[in-house]
């Protein structure tokens, strides 16, 4: 079946502009995660959605970052007033049920470059 | 100090060598230990998963967890050029959804 998809695959933007990144999880997966991966760094947790529960936003680095998810489907990560330090690969993952030990299936990522 | 420490490498080995990849951690509450493999410009994929202490073997791959030393390892036997990738360790506590990843070790297996 189809895996996790993300769009766009690459995004180049100018400092100060807003960007929106999209994630389509595997159908039926109730949990969805967003991570950020900077060069030479591990995956930095950003936000977690589980079903209809309130999302855990504890990893969002600033109030310029926000994310939404409609039900158990697509999610969008929005970065307002982008800064050069926002340049990174943004990865989305989904898992069948809640729990860190459930296999997380990752998308290919969106590579964001802020000029 | 980071919760999970992993040497970023790069690590270069000849084909057929045994590879040892390691991570240390500080949070004694971690119970789930994972290794992910990430090829260039791809998302990570789960390679090995271990609960609590002990060893787990899957083909050429062996994962070891030593909770007393807060140290985990991944061994790759008979390494192949196709094993060239970045290997990330990851950990989580019981019932927690938040997974903490290491920085990843870049591995190159030369033919």
């Amino acid at each position: 079946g189809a895996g996790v998809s993300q769009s766009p695959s690459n995004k180049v933007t100018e400092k100060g502009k807003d960007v929106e990144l999209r994630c389509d999880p595997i159908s039926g997966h109730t949990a969805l995660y967003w991570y950020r991966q900077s060069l030479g760094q591990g995956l930095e947790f950003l936000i977690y959605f589980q079903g209809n529960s309130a999302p855990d936003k504890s990893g969002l680095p600033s109030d310029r970052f926000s994310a939404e998810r409609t039900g158990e489907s697509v999610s969008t990560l929005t970065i307002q007033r982008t800064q050069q330090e926002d340049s990174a690969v943004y990865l989305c993952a989904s898992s069948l049920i809640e729990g860190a030990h459930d296999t997380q299936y990752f998308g290919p990522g969106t590579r964001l470059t802020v000029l | 100090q980071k919760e999970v420490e992993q040497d970023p490498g790069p690590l270069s080995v000849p084909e057929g060598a045994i590879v040892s990849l390691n991570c240390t951690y500080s949070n004694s509450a971690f119970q789930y230990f994972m290794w992910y493999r990430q090829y260039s410009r791809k998302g990570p994929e789960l390679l090995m998963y271990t609960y609590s202490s002990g060893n787990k073997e899957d083909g050429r791959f062996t994962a070891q967890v030593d909770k007393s030393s807060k140290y985990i390892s991944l061994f790759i036997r008979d390494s192949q050029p196709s094993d060239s990738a970045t290997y990330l360790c990851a950990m989580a506590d019981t019932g927690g959804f938040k997974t903490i990843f290491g920085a990843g070790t870049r591995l190159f297996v030369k033919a």
Side-chain angles (χ1 to χ4, degrees):
Chain A
V4 177
S5 61
Q6 293 186 245
S7 60
S9 55
N10 285 283
K11 178 70 176 180
V12 180
T13 190
E14 294 179 346
K15 178 182 174 180
K17 295 283 181 68
D18 297 351
V19 296
E20 189 172 280
L21 312 180
R22 177 186 169 107
C23 172
D24 283 277
I26 294 173
S27 178
H29 280 195
T30 62
L32 186 146
Y33 312 76
W34 282 98
Y35 296 90
R36 179 169 68 176
Q37 186 174 33
S38 302
L39 188 64
Q41 304 294 315
L43 275 66
E44 175 189 4
F45 167 81
L46 297 178
I47 189 169
Y48 164 74
F49 294 91
Q50 170 57 41
N52 294 319
S53 302
D56 185 306
K57 306 178 181 180
S58 61
L60 295 179
S62 77
D63 58 8
R64 296 186 296 105
F65 288 72
S66 63
E68 293 183 349
R69 186 182 187 195
T70 306
E72 295 182 355
S73 60
V74 67
S75 175
T76 55
L77 176 69
T78 301
I79 309 174
Q80 296 178 309
R81 305 181 302 280
T82 52
Q83 304 294 312
Q84 288 182 333
E85 60 263 27
D86 299 334
S87 296
V89 176
Y90 289 82
L91 290 157
C92 172
S94 70
S95 64
L96 184 59
I97 56 175
E98 181 178 1
H101 54 286
D102 298 324
T103 300
Q104 293 185 36
Y105 295 87
F106 283 83
T110 293
R111 186 173 298 271
L112 175 66
T113 303
V114 182
L115 302 176
Chain B
Q1 182 188 7
K2 293 181 180 179
E3 278 191 284
V4 178
E5 298 279 357
Q6 183 177 12
D7 186 339
L11 179 63
S12 184
V13 300
E15 183 175 359
I18 296 174
V19 176
S20 173
L21 304 169
N22 311 291
C23 288
T24 59
Y25 63 94
S26 57
N27 187 346
S28 58
F30 287 146
Q31 293 286 344
Y32 297 99
F33 303 91
M34 288 77 70
W35 286 94
Y36 283 81
R37 179 174 60 195
Q38 185 177 23
Y39 291 113
S40 181
R41 296 192 174 263
K42 301 286 187 183
E45 57 178 342
L46 183 66
L47 191 60
M48 297 285 283
Y49 150 68
T50 308
Y51 175 72
S52 194
S53 287
N55 296 355
K56 187 172 185 177
E57 187 174 322
D58 184 2
R60 297 184 294 111
F61 299 89
T62 299
Q64 288 186 351
V65 175
D66 182 349
K67 293 186 68 181
S68 63
S69 301
K70 296 189 178 67
Y71 187 88
I72 70 169
S73 301
L74 177 70
F75 297 96
I76 307 174
R77 291 183 299 279
D78 187 26
S79 56
Q80 303 295 310
S82 59
D83 295 328
S84 298
T86 296
Y87 290 80
L88 301 112
C89 62
M91 308 175 191
D93 59 23
T94 303
F97 62 87
K98 193 175 294 185
T99 304
I100 308 300
F101 285 82
T105 300
R106 292 192 68 190
L107 172 66
F108 296 95
V109 181
K110 299 171 293 185

